[in-house]
């Protein structure tokens, strides 16, 4: 039996479009974008923001890998909220599941800094029954401990939960912990996969 649905947020309940954001900010400058991407995402430096580290320390670490691009990187940091966009389908998806008796939670790698740059994109969060943002527990997916923290906080039996994420490594880690899990590719595919799983795991 499944009684709880757990959602990732970025790439699942809201759009996260880093590539489009960068191309809008630096049109036609593909080499620059490649250089900035390497500084931001190399060695998973940006993950430290999601893990709750001090933003200025994270930014300093990123800039250290491309000091001649500090101006452009600061522009990226200041406007990063533009990577995020609401999905019209999200409130009805959450409410539909809750109306059927499922508890609906979130488990998201997310930083307070990014939240502050686009808070309205998370206006659906009060519809959910709770959850964990990585920055608040200083853990990030796919660390096993963040899945354990959610289970402990909400007294979950992982075998009675399904977790949905757009990154395969996070889905794999959830399954290894004991959750059922679905890899989000498209909304229609994920909703079909979820309904199939819920039907197979009724009382």
């Amino acid at each position: 039996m499944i009684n709880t649905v757990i959602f990732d947020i970025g790439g699942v309940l809201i759009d996260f479009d880093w590539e489009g954001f960068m191309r809008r900010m630096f049109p036609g400058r593909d080499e620059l974008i490649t250089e900035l991407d390497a500084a931001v995402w190399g060695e998973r430096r940006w993950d430290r923001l999601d893990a709750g580290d001090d933003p200025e320390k994270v930014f300093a670490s990123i800039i250290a890998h491309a000091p001649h691009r500090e101006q452009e990187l600061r522009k990226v940091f200041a406007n990063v909220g533009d990577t995020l966009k609401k999905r019209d389908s999200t409130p009805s998806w959450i409410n539909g599941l809750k109306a059927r008796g499922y508890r609906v939670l979130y488990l998201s790698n997310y930083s307070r800094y990014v939240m502050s740059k686009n808070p309205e994109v998370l206006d659906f969060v009060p519809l959910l029954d709770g959850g964990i943002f990585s920055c608040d527990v200083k853990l990030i997916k796919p660390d096993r401990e963040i899945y354990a923290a959610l289970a402990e906080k909400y007294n979950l039996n992982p075998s009675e939960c399904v977790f949905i994420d757009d990154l395969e490594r996070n889905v794999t880690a959830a399954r290894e912990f004991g959750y059922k899990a679905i890899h989000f590719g498209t909304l229609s595919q994920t909703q079909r996969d979820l309904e199939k799983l819920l039907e197979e795991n009724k009382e």
Side-chain angles (χ1 to χ4, degrees), residues 9 70 75-76 78 87 103 108 130 134-135 188 191 195 199:
I9 291 182
E70 178 170 1
K75 184 177 179 182
V76 169
R87 288 184 176 170
R103 178 164 50 172
S108 180
S134 60
C135 59
S188 59
Q191 290 181 330
E195 289 306 314
E199 182 63 30

Side-chain angles (χ1 to χ4, degrees), residues 60-71:
S61 172
I62 291 170
I63 290 166
H65 287 268
H68 60 297
R69 295 300 187 189
E70 178 170 1
Q71 181 178 350

Side-chain angles (χ1 to χ4, degrees), residues 36-56:
L36 298 180
D37 283 350
V40 171
W41 299 106
E43 300 175 9
R44 300 186 67 177
R45 282 180 281 274
W46 189 265
D47 285 357
R48 300 317 309 162
L49 202 62
D50 289 339
D53 288 6
D54 177 75
E56 282 304 320

Side-chain angles (χ1 to χ4, degrees), residues 136-148:
D136 294 333
V137 293
K138 299 193 179 302
L139 297 165
I140 57 173
K141 296 175 294 184
D143 188 331
R144 177 183 176 87
E145 292 306 309
I146 196 170
Y147 300 95

